[in-house]
Amino acid sequence: MAIQRTYSMIKPDATARNLTGAINAKLEAAGLRIIAQKRLWLSKAQAERFYAVHRERPFFDELTSFMSSGPIVAQVLEGENAIAKNREVMGATNPADAAPGTIRKEFALSIGENSVHGSDGEDTAKEEIAFFFSGLEIVG
């Protein structure tokens, strides 16, 4: 199995409820290492750049407003098949469909306020990691 890096974000709904430690514990229990992490507050413009792929979708304004409504925790995870493993630990986007024990099943408030974001592929992971971190900030 391949050691990979992936991007993970703890969203404003989860940081507002002080869930960073609980979410990180789930990631680490699944065998993922947090090799970079920072807490920041995205501006609306930064959220729009990060989610530009969704610009034409009807939920874009609501998404970017939400993502700029409070602090996030940006992180880089590393481990065997980290992209798939992170997505498994996060659970389905809709918490009603998420498996028991997943982050979204336990912590998400709704399909929109679903506590976490994770890269969906290798190219996306590289882009998302580079959006938030310089190479000097990743300490694997």
Side-chain angles (χ1 to χ4, degrees), residues 37-99:
Q37 183 179 65
K38 58 180 149 184
R39 183 181 180 98
L40 56 132
W41 196 318
L42 295 175
S43 68
K44 178 87 156 124
Q46 289 168 323
E48 288 172 350
R49 280 198 313 277
F50 183 76
Y51 285 105
V53 67
H54 298 302
R55 185 170 301 283
E56 301 306 318
R57 301 228 173 144
F59 59 80
F60 180 74
D61 188 59
E62 182 180 356
L63 171 65
T64 55
S65 292
F66 166 62
M67 292 305 299
S68 59
S69 69
I72 62 143
V73 175
Q75 38 194 21
V76 180
L77 307 177
E78 184 177 76
E80 288 187 16
N81 293 312
I83 296 167
K85 177 59 72 177
N86 184 43
R87 295 188 69 75
E88 178 184 319
V89 173
M90 287 191 311
T93 302
N94 184 344
D97 299 333

Side-chain angles (χ1 to χ4, degrees), residues 7-8 35-38 40 73-76 128-138:
Y7 176 73
S8 173
I35 60 170
Q37 183 179 65
K38 58 180 149 184
L40 56 132
V73 175
Q75 38 194 21
V76 180
E128 292 179 340
I129 289 168
F131 187 91
F132 287 98
F133 296 94
S134 74
L136 292 173
E137 296 175 299
I138 302 171

